[in-house]
Structures are given as structure tokens and as C-alpha cells.
Amino acid sequence: MNKNISFNKPFISNYEIKNIKKLLLKNYYSAGGYFSKKCSNWLKNNIGCKEALMVNSCTGALEICALLLNIRSGDQVIMPSYTFVSTANAFVLRGGLPVFVDIDPKTLNIDVNKIEKAITKKTKAIVVVHYAGVSCDMDLILKIAKKYKLYVIEDAAQAILSRYKNKTLGSIGDLATLSFHDSKNIHCGEGGALLINNKKFINRSKIIMNKGTNRNDFDKKIVNKYTWVDIGSSYGLSEINCAFLYAQLKKTNEIINKRLKLWKIYYDFFSKYQNIVSVPHIPPKVKHNAHIFYLILKKYNRNLLLKILNKKKINSIFHYIPLHNSPYGKINCKYSENMNVTNMIARKLIRLPLHNSITNQDILRVKKVFKKIFKYNL
Ligand SMILES: *Cc1c(COP(=O)(O)O)cnc(C)c1O
């Protein structure tokens, strides 16, 4: 009997438990403690952003972005529709209107050539998503943002330590967000970070994430009692999660290198079948982190193929239902021009198992199954 090749298995080193034990001696479990500072410094040093705040999720970090930009009723925010709901939801919560732009069929990132047509007097920001940890075309995006005086937010949920030219993702936009959900390369169950490069947002972001109080000034002994000074919520990441996360962060290179090796084996194998499937495109001067290995099916019925793969115990899945086609997005968002590429990709993409517990034997079996499928046109 073949064992099941699971789609994802969250990484675990031996150090999470060591850090948690260390934490038990410290008598401090809420946000902003020893491990929170460790994680934040690690992110600043390795990404090159000006500030890094440990937040309870990438969703929470995106919500802070909407608050920092003072998004209010009628403000428009440009983004792809081929993304996770939180990219849009964070702005809708403030009364903003997501304006979806189609994606580039090569990278599945926002199509830079279609952004300008979507800009109106009400546009406040461009939110880019580095899909699969592969960078968007940041030079062109920054150029457009400058021309129209728009903020740039990087949803880098999938893109930890990916690079664009000489920069690490998350160090380019005014603001950026990371996810440490257990479906991502580096995780702590649920968690995220807000990365800040535009200095004007640093002070207020600390107030917003601290329930709208100046608690941060109190901790630094700048004021002798903290109080309510702005709107905000409870967005901090608990010290328990930070202790777990810090163990993972220290293994980041090891984790990504293993994923890159597996990704490359898939890539080389499926590249031989370009009449049947297309493989991911990595633009020149972009370094990715092997977050996702996907295929675009040129021939197969996607659902039938997924059924066959899962029957063979290769747990493959698809995503996303584009936000402009979702029950809520249909009514509460708008899109610019047509969404042909997004619609096509959403019908034809599959994701293969990719995580640190996959063995060479597992990969051999995946190859064998696909060879058979392709040979007999199953
Ligand atoms: C995972 C993900 C999120 C949400 O991350 P959470 O930490 O679960 O809130 C947001 N955007 C994108 C593109 C994601 O992949």
C-alpha cells in the first residue's frame, strides 16, 4: 500500500519546544516580549524593512494597513482578484472598494500594464500580491504609484525572503505583510507581521496594534500612564507564538533550500510536457522561495485529474475562486476591463504537494503517476 503524500505538512524543528520552555521561566506571555523583539529584529535584519511588528495574522496586518491609510467609504484600492480573501476584506471593513485588475498569465501576479486604466480620482493604493512567493514587477508598480501619488502595499504572505533584483520582498512598498499561518513556509500556527518602509507610519502603527493606546510610549517610560489616543484593536502576536516562530525563523534558509530542491525536481520533470501543462515562470532577476508548485493544465479536465491524483494518494488541490466571482465580491467589489486571464487560470491551475517532509521516493511516485496519466491520456 502506498502511503499518502499529504498536500502540506507544517515544518517542525526541535527548537520550538526549547523556546517555549525558556518562555515559561520568563513570566511574560502577551505581545511585545523577549521573543517578539527577537522575531522583529530577525525580520528587520533579513528583509531590510525599517520596522517589523509581530501581528496575530497577515489578515490583521492588512487590516492595520487599511487603518494607517485612513481608508473610508468610497476609497478605491487596486488589487488582483486571484488572491486570498483577506487582501480585499481588510479594505472592505473600512468601507473601501476593491478594484480588481487582471493577472499576467506568466506569473499570475497583477498585470502591470492594466493598472493605469483602473486608477480614478478615488484610488488610494495599489495592493500587490507576490503569488507563490514570486515577485511582482516592482519597478513598474513603484513608477505608476509615484505618478499618481498612490501608496503601495505588498501582500507578501507567501513571499518570505523572496527577492526582486537586489531587494528582499517586504522592503519595497510603503507597507508589507507576512503570514506565519501553518500553510506557509515558516509558521507559528497563526501569525503574521506588518513591515513598514515609509517612516511616517511607524508611530501610529504601534498605537493601532495596541488597542488604540499609547502603551508603547508607556513601556518606554515616555508617559507614566497609557491611555486611549486613536482607533485600534488587539493585533499583537502572543509571546507563545513568537517563541515558536523564532525557532522556525532561525531555520528559514534550510526550510527554503529544501523546498527549492523539490520545486526544481517538479519543474524539470514537467518542463518536458509543455504541450500538456505549463510550469511556473520565474522572471529574470527574481528569486523565489518555493512556496507553491503549480501547473496550468492545457488539456485535462481539472476536477477529473484532481480526483485521479487524490485516489492515487497524491493530495493535490486547486485555488482560488477569484474574488470577483465570489458571492460577496460579486456584489461589493468592481473590476476593471475584463478578467479573462484570472478566469482561465482559476479553471486550469492545480497545486502539487510541497513541504519539508516530502522524500525523494515520494517525488518518484508523483512522477510515475503523472507519466502514466500523460501516456494513456487518463
Ligand atoms: C495566507 C494568505 C493571507 C492570510 O494570511 P493569514 O496569516 O492566515 O491571515 C493573505 N494573503 C495571502 C496572499 C495569503 O496567501
Side-chain angles (χ1 to χ4, degrees), residues 30-94:
S30 54
Y34 172 84
F35 282 108
S36 174
K37 288 185 189 105
K38 285 276 188 199
C39 291
S40 165
N41 285 333
W42 191 96
L43 292 173
K44 280 190 271 188
N45 292 336
N46 286 276
I47 292 174
C49 48
K50 294 206 173 79
E51 183 58 273
L53 302 177
M54 304 316 297
V55 171
N56 54 17
S57 62
C58 181
T59 301
L62 287 160
E63 288 177 25
I64 300 174
C65 292
L67 287 162
L68 286 169
L69 265 49
N70 289 319
I71 295 296
R72 61 197 68 186
S73 183
D75 287 347
Q76 298 183 2
V77 182
I78 288 171
M79 64 183 71
S81 166
Y82 195 70
T83 181
F84 188 65
V85 294
S86 298
T87 318
N89 221 345
F91 298 91
V92 173
L93 276 169
R94 308 306 310 155

Side-chain angles (χ1 to χ4, degrees), residues 47 107 109 112 128 130 133-143 154 159-173 282-289:
I47 292 174
T107 58
N109 283 331
V112 183
V128 300
H130 303 299
V134 178
S135 177
C136 297
D137 193 339
M138 293 312 290
D139 280 349
L140 282 173
I141 287 161
L142 292 182
K143 204 166 141 191
E154 296 174 70
I160 190 163
L161 290 202
S162 293
R163 288 174 72 82
Y164 175 75
K165 298 190 174 170
N166 59 349
K167 290 203 159 138
T168 304
L169 299 187
S171 71
I172 303 170
I282 311 296
K285 297 183 180 170
V286 165
K287 263 175 80 178
H288 71 110
N289 64 358

Side-chain angles (χ1 to χ4, degrees), residues 208-226:
I208 289 171
M209 71 174 286
N210 270 310
K211 295 105 170 166
T213 73
N214 56 351
R215 165 89 199 232
N216 192 60
D217 284 348
F218 173 74
D219 289 342
K220 287 186 173 159
K221 301 196 164 56
I222 298 171
V223 293
N224 65 6
K225 185 73 195 155
Y226 68 91

Side-chain angles (χ1 to χ4, degrees), residues 339-361:
M339 300 297 273
N340 292 346
V341 180
T342 305
N343 292 334
M344 184 272 286
I345 294 295
R347 282 197 307 269
K348 298 187 171 175
L349 178 139
I350 66 166
R351 300 173 63 185
L352 299 186
L354 181 59
H355 54 81
N356 283 74
S357 305
I358 290 191
T359 63
N360 288 346
Q361 239 178 339

